[in-house]
Amino acid sequence: MQMPTPNQNVLSRKAQIVERLQGVLRDGAVIHSESEVRAYECDALTAYKCPPLCAVLPTSTEEVAAVLKVCHEMGVPVVPRGSGTSLAGGALPTADCVILGVARLNSVLETNYDDRYIRVQSGRTNLSVTGAVEAMDFFYAPDPSSQLACAIAGNVAMNSGGAHCLKYGVTTNNLMGVKMVLMDGTITEIGGAHLDAAGLDLLGLICGSEGQLGVVTEATLRILRKPEGARPVLMAFNDNEVAGACVADIIKAGVLPVAIEFMDRLCIETTENYAKAGYPDCEALLIVEVEGAPEEIDEQLALIKDIALKHDPVELREAQDEEEAARIWLGRKSAFGAIGQISDYMCLDGTIPVSSLPMVLRRIGELSDEFGLKVGNVFHAGDGNMHPLICYDANKPGDLELCEAMGAEILKLCVDAGGCLTGEHGVGIEKRDLMTHQYAQQDLDIQMAVKDVFDPEWLLNPAKVFPLDSSASRRIAAE
Amino acid sequence: MTVTTEQELAEAVKGATGPLHICGGGTRDIGNPVVGDVLSTAGLNGISLYEPGALTIVAQAGTPVADIEAALEAENQRLAFEPMDHRTLLGTTGKPTIGGIVATNASGPRRISVGACRDHLLGVRFVDGAGTTIKNGGRVMKNVTGYDLVKLMAGSYGTLGVLSEVSLKVLPRAETQATLCIFGLDETTAADAMSAALGSPYEVSGAAWDVDRTMHLRLEGFENSVNYRVGKLADLIKSYGEVQIVDDPTASERIWVAIRNVDALAGKDVVVRMSIQPSALSEMHFATRNMFVPYENGPTFDIMTDWGGGLVWIGADANQLVDCAKVVDGEPSAELGGQVLVEYLQSQCAFSGGHATLIKGPGALRNAVPVFQPENPTVNMLSKGLRNKFDPRGIMNAGLMG
């Protein structure tokens, strides 16, 4: 993965930059020794590493503004960082950058159950947002797999999704307002506790902009009352395509499950060995979950089971109690960990129209044979968001490159099937150079023009999202 | 000018020598008046793709909403965000287009449970002010590839570009619906009752308080489920007043079509739409009423709310506007009253959060006041910056949004 050459003019001024930053922050908030900055050398895309110039940990919006003002004046690139769980390299540093971590901004500022929102500082973790309102039977809906660790800041930057977004939507559908700081240090608020934008929908633009337009320090999030109950049903099929057809039929039938998850044989077997969830021996497995009162769940599941029966399932298992429900979910939730036990892997994130599911799965199988790398498929089938896990050996020379090449082929396949490169992880550096497969030059130009408005000097997370040659003239002009 | 292909559209914009007034079906005459050659998208007509099993529909921007709704109904699906039809309120005629819905982000009562138009918009193709054809998003439900210009285009009223094609998420139609009503509630009690209902697990898909002080709550879904939730919800809200249940789905639907289209204010000369924090409703109503009360006998406008109190519609006729004008110096007139009302509501929103938009009013009034809520300086700078990039010549519905 190519990254821009670090700016010597920044590297040579490290001492002055650190001193200026120390001047606007509390003691200990600027991390600059060679050994300590290593903690920030990568995010969850661990294949790529680069220690930053230094890292700062501000404790307020005003401190964030002060940091950005200093960096703006001194022409230093800034890479914002939430909890560092990005799978796309969204928080990967460059040697000449300041990592701006929001981890210390983690307070709940306001909860309002009448108007159903919570206002938090952006370093707060996703799960602890729900934790703050759980006692009142409310929850925050977007639930990325990393929710125990990932920060709201990163969720907003990447417009994160989760297993339950078929019903509840992704971050952008649950974000009502932000306080953010522009690269020049200007603090502004966009949106708030009301439901729609006054003028242009800048909030919609900021959500998913991968930390390239501003640093979000506070977020107003929609909270929802918990449903009375939820119950999953497990369906096993002997053919991927049949499972795919079953998904489409369920959706067409007018039921809207809260989640439809898919696992293929490799994932089923691997998780079975690892987590012992008691999954049947089959080619494809669906977990469908519905919500409501017990009688409502019965009614919906009866309909769903009727549909499934038409597709000749190997097994149909409805959770009879909490324990069985937890077991049904256990394998799915430990799938990534289980694959990680047997191999290094790269997790892709392409989305396809649900109707192309059988064709895409077949083609992924063919690619797996061509490249000689195993692929496990575990994903959110209801919305077509695939997560092929390509297994490789990090210690075998050339295997990572082979895995990347195969990943690129799969993502192109997703685009060609009418889908996109990334459904919920973001572009970061990982899919940056594939952007031209999905977008024409003019489509990328107008997006880069948006960055020109928010960050004319291209100092915020500059080497991400756009192919380096597309953004080169803008980044170089800034130096 | 009417174009029939995206390419013709791009050429028309590229070749434009002066400002353009972009419209679809012409049923949503909203905004500061625009001067320019009319460029209509009504000729860009047709559903390009509809996959019920993937819950997606793609259509050219000029496709009549009625055609889309008919196609969806045949598959027992719908546009779940329940787009408002502005014709009754604004007294316009013509065929609303899907592009017009997207350009105005028109969203109805179900916005509180499923989101707005912008939340269902998956992809756009548009021609920017330089005549360049651009695509963003796509036709899948989860897509974070690059910046989300899809949301930016929704509700941009043609000021950033002309939409040529839109792709939308659709949802299954509910099997049935029922409405719970409590008559004669004041705004504070209604706001409390709606909050209680929306904070319950019963999936309320509409919560409105009408001009006649009736509160309505809607439940939708499979029949047994609706019956179950009607019982639970009625029990939950009975402390606020006597609960009447409209369990005939056709009658229930009629109530919500009228609320969606703001039929109750169709006779008013000036109508303002406010988006606020629901619990600010009573405070705002109180402050607004108090401002005008000392000068006449009570509020000089009609008010209704949707979205559990988060969406407030205020309407005034000529007499009511004259009353509004009495709070300032000068000859009280309907014209002056319109200005007083709009500016007052916008200042209230600036104070307590949210925004107020003049949806209906004579051209003179729309020229005299900011139709859209004035923005804070930073947001205004960013919006202007974006407009300059998308429309460097400043010819796309110039000035419509202020």
Side-chain angles (χ1 to χ4, degrees), chain A residues 114-115 117 167 172-173 195-196 201 212 225 228 293 296 351 355 380 385 422 424 438-439 443 447, chain B residues 51 55 111 118-119 135 137 142 144-145 147 195 198-199 201 203 225 228-229 273 275 277 279 355:
Chain A
D114 283 341
D115 296 340
Y117 70 84
K167 181 169 177 189
T172 191
N173 312 113
L195 278 177
D196 59 358
D201 191 350
Q212 290 197 311
R225 175 65 187 259
E228 287 180 277
E296 296 180 281
T351 306
S355 50
H380 317 305
N385 188 187
T422 171
E424 57 184 3
Q438 182 168 338
Y439 286 122
D443 304 329
Q447 294 181 38
Chain B
E51 277 188 11
L55 302 177
R111 196 260 174 269
R118 54 92 88 175
D119 296 297
K135 75 159 187 247
K142 276 166 88 181
V144 296
T145 320
Y147 294 168
S195 282
L198 289 167
E203 304 202 345
S225 164
Y228 165 80
R229 285 180 284 140
R273 173 189 186 277
S275 180
Q277 184 174 335
S279 60
H355 54 90

Side-chain angles (χ1 to χ4, degrees), chain A residues 221-269:
Chain A
L221 306 167
R222 191 167 76 120
I223 51 171
L224 300 169
R225 175 65 187 259
K226 279 190 179 165
E228 287 180 277
R231 198 188 308 157
V233 57
L234 181 150
M235 305 167 178
F237 298 92
N238 255 339
D239 188 313
N240 281 342
E241 296 194 28
V242 174
C246 184
V247 171
D249 283 355
I250 291 171
I251 289 173
K252 259 196 292 197
V255 211
L256 193 65
V258 68
I260 306 182
E261 297 289 300
F262 182 110
M263 288 170 78
D264 70 0
R265 180 173 278 281
L266 178 70
C267 287
I268 298 165
E269 285 177 353

Side-chain angles (χ1 to χ4, degrees), chain B residues 95-132:
Chain B
K95 282 187 187 164
T97 62
I98 193 67
I101 284 178
V102 171
T104 57
N105 189 27
S107 315
R110 212 176 286 111
R111 196 260 174 269
I112 45 168
S113 62
V114 301
C117 174
R118 54 92 88 175
D119 296 297
H120 294 250
L121 188 64
L122 304 173
V124 290
R125 292 182 63 89
F126 65 96
V127 173
D128 74 6
T132 308

